[in-house]
Amino acid sequence: MARLIWWAALVAGATYMIPVLAGWSGPEIIVWKGAGVTLLALWAALHARDRFGWMIVLVLAFGAAGDVLLDAAGLTVGAVAFAIGHLIAIGLYRQNARSDVSGSQRALAFLAPPLALVATWFMLEGEALRIAAMIYTALVAVMASAAWLSRFPRYRTGIGAMLFLLSDLLIFARESGQIAPELGAALIWPLYFGGQALIAWGVVTTLKTEEARA
């Protein structure tokens, strides 16, 4: 059952590119949008055995809520749901910090937040918009850096979190006219959902492997 749900999540997330590229909207499209990460959260819940397992379930659940609420209730409400998930994720990753981190890997983790903030500042105009976007960007960037420095697989969870950050920066680039809307449509969702899937895969399989060894 868990394997079936995993593949269903990937199918739901991948096929959501159809309405993205076609420009479809409506309640059923919002449900479609939320289905992928919701199924990832359900998959994670089937494997959860300790507080770390349930923390990643909450991270994914708030991400799914954010996906839906962005379209159903507006930007602010959706962003709050994502922000709660990022805070839980930061706690999860910092409680599972990697003990052996090379200088180059640590440098990337420390550079990601300031570089993301600089990019956000220059892409957006208007003081209120900039401040709100930079607060949110800081949260996502810290989450991505914490994931990169965590003991979870860097080439799954770490890269997944960085892809999540990149997808948000591309949203700002699209909204400010820095990239064409068509390019944004082609890149943002795959980076976001791919990032979420990699995050889930890295955390859940690591915890599952450790449980089997115990």
Side-chain angles (χ1 to χ4, degrees):
M1 177 62 71
R3 183 174 298 180
L4 180 62
I5 291 173
W6 168 259
W7 286 109
L10 297 187
V11 169
T15 58
Y16 180 68
M17 280 301 293
I18 297 171
V20 167
L21 296 176
W24 298 343
S25 60
E28 67 280 4
I29 303 303
I30 296 175
V31 172
W32 193 346
K33 181 183 182 183
V37 181
T38 297
L39 288 169
L40 289 178
L42 178 58
W43 173 76
L46 291 175
H47 292 289
R49 297 293 183 272
D50 58 17
R51 78 175 189 279
F52 296 140
W54 288 109
M55 285 175 80
I56 192 61
V57 171
L58 288 174
V59 169
L60 294 165
F62 277 108
D67 288 336
V68 171
L69 291 171
L70 282 175
D71 291 343
L75 178 62
T76 300
V77 178
V80 168
F82 275 116
I84 295 171
H86 294 324
L87 287 170
I88 297 170
I90 291 168
L92 170 63
Y93 301 141
R94 288 192 169 174
Q95 290 178 64
N96 289 274
R98 186 182 296 267
S99 58
D100 54 332
V101 181
S102 68
S104 60
Q105 300 292 356
R106 194 176 297 277
L108 174 60
F110 280 108
L111 285 173
L115 289 176
L117 288 171
V118 169
T120 300
W121 175 267
F122 282 106
M123 282 192 290
L124 299 177
E125 296 181 357
E127 184 177 358
L129 178 60
R130 272 179 171 168
I131 292 172
M134 288 183 71
I135 291 171
Y136 182 78
T137 297
L139 196 56
V140 182
V142 170
M143 179 278 294
S145 292
W148 191 256
L149 295 176
S150 76
R151 67 184 180 88
F152 300 113
R154 187 168 287 132
Y155 295 107
R156 279 174 274 171
T157 300
I159 286 181
M162 290 294 178
L163 291 178
F164 195 131
L165 173 60
L166 179 57
S167 73
D168 279 345
L169 293 176
L170 287 175
I171 291 174
F172 297 148
R174 180 189 61 188
E175 297 304 313
S176 63
Q178 302 294 319
I179 62 172
E182 297 79 12
L183 181 59
L187 293 178
I188 291 169
W189 179 259
L191 289 171
Y192 163 75
F193 182 77
Q196 290 278 47
L198 285 170
I199 288 168
W201 183 24
V203 174
V204 171
T205 57
T206 298
L207 296 176
K208 184 179 177 182
T209 299
E210 291 175 352
E211 179 193 357
R213 291 174 180 170

